[in-house]
Amino acid sequence: GAGVSQSPSNKVTEKGKDVELRCDPISGHTALYWYRQSLGQGLEFLIYFQGNSAPDKSGLPSDRFSAERTGGSVSTLTIQRTQQEDSAVYLCASSFYRTSGMSTDTQYFGPGTRLTVL
Amino acid sequence: GIQVEQSPPDLILQEGANSTLRCNFSDSVNNLQWFHQNPWGQLINLFYIPSGTKQNGRLSATTVATERYSLLYISSSQTTDSGVYFCAAPGGSQGNLIFGKGTKLSVKP
């Protein structure tokens, strides 16, 4: 079946502009994660959604970042007043479920959105 | 939180050679995943392997949970195996994966 899809694949924006990144998880997956990969920082976690539950925003790097998930499916990551340090590849992952504690189901990643802030 | 360390950071192989990549983690885990990031940046799932050994074609992986390490074996390497290999384990309160820094593999023809 279809994998995780993300759009746009590339986004170039000017410093100070707002951007929206979209993620379509695998159908039936209730858990959705956003990560970003930047040079010198590796892969870092941003935010997690379980179904329609309100997410824990503590992993977001600043209050300029926000995310929502509509209908327990599609998610949008919004970055307001972009800064050059926001340049990175933003990756979305989904999994069928997350069990209690530290155990998780396999996470499948989308192709990412490469964000460049000039 | 949990720390994930990978070695070696870089690896250059001649096509046809075998290799072993290592992943150490600092705490007990219920899950460990290996990924291959291809030159286009796509993270491709290789193994979900909390313990034991799994094989998929020329690749196999072994996780020894009690000793907190996992190994990825690549046999008869091909140029298409080039890329960065990551291991990751759930280490955040939200089940998010904590990634190692990766092993960059280059397979020369």
Side-chain angles (χ1 to χ4, degrees):
Chain A
V4 178
S5 61
Q6 293 186 244
S7 61
S9 55
N10 281 284
K11 178 71 177 179
V12 179
T13 190
E14 293 180 349
K15 178 181 174 181
K17 301 282 189 182
D18 298 351
V19 295
E20 282 190 355
L21 313 179
R22 177 186 168 104
C23 171
D24 281 275
I26 293 172
S27 178
H29 281 192
T30 59
L32 186 149
Y33 300 82
W34 282 97
Y35 297 83
R36 74 175 175 182
Q37 186 176 26
S38 47
L39 286 175
Q41 298 296 322
L43 277 142
E44 63 174 319
F45 166 71
L46 297 178
I47 194 168
Y48 159 72
F49 292 89
Q50 176 63 41
N52 291 322
S53 301
D56 181 336
K57 302 178 182 179
S58 59
L60 295 175
S62 81
D63 58 9
R64 296 184 294 104
F65 287 69
S66 63
E68 62 178 16
R69 188 178 186 189
T70 54
S73 181
V74 171
S75 177
T76 302
L77 178 69
T78 300
I79 309 173
Q80 295 178 309
R81 304 181 304 281
T82 51
Q83 304 293 312
Q84 288 181 332
E85 62 261 28
D86 299 334
S87 295
V89 177
Y90 289 81
L91 293 160
C92 175
S94 71
S95 67
F96 186 63
Y97 64 89
R98 181 176 77 91
T99 59
S100 61
M102 299 301 284
S103 180
T104 65
D105 195 16
T106 304
Q107 293 185 26
Y108 296 90
F109 282 77
T113 294
R114 182 176 297 277
L115 175 65
T116 304
V117 182
L118 302 177
Chain B
I2 191 171
Q3 295 184 15
V4 179
E5 295 182 354
Q6 293 186 243
S7 60
D10 295 278
L11 186 58
I12 300 174
L13 297 176
Q14 204 65 37
E15 197 169 27
N18 303 329
S19 64
T20 301
L21 282 58
R22 187 177 179 102
C23 174
N24 293 331
F25 36 95
S26 61
D27 206 347
S28 300
V29 297
N30 294 330
N31 167 19
L32 187 116
Q33 289 187 239
W34 281 97
F35 297 90
H36 175 214
Q37 189 167 42
N38 64 22
W40 296 270
Q42 175 77 54
L43 274 171
I44 299 166
N45 288 64
L46 296 178
F47 295 101
Y48 173 97
I49 184 164
S51 64
T53 297
K54 291 185 177 179
Q55 179 148 13
N56 185 1
R58 296 182 296 102
L59 302 182
S60 65
T62 295
T63 295
V64 184
T66 54
E67 297 187 23
R68 302 179 183 174
Y69 73 89
S70 184
L71 302 174
L72 178 69
Y73 306 95
I74 304 174
S75 64
S76 304
S77 58
Q78 301 177 358
T79 55
T80 52
D81 295 332
S82 296
V84 183
Y85 290 81
F86 290 99
C87 67
S93 60
Q94 302 176 65
N96 52 287
L97 293 173
I98 305 298
F99 284 80
K101 294 184 185 295
T103 292
K104 184 176 180 181
L105 175 65
S106 299
V107 181
K108 304 297 185 184

